[in-house]
């Protein structure tokens, strides 16, 4: 699942209720994966 899909899924299922927080968490997770060299996301 791509980051945008995961964010949408998490918001729709109530895992994350705030879209702005979901966006921030997604950016942090993407940055982490770039830093460790995992470009699969």
């Amino acid at each position: 699942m791509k980051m945008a899909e995961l964010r949408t899924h998490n918001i729709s299922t109530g895992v994350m209720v705030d879209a702005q927080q979901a966006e921030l968490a997604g950016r942090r997770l993407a940055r982490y994966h770039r830093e460790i060299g995992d470009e699969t996301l």
Side-chain angles (χ1 to χ4, degrees), residues 9-29:
H9 176 265
N10 286 345
I11 292 170
S12 69
T13 60
V15 172
M16 295 185 120
V17 294
D18 184 299
Q20 185 176 12
Q21 290 296 322
E23 177 69 25
L24 179 60
R27 278 191 253 137
R28 287 179 178 166
L29 184 59

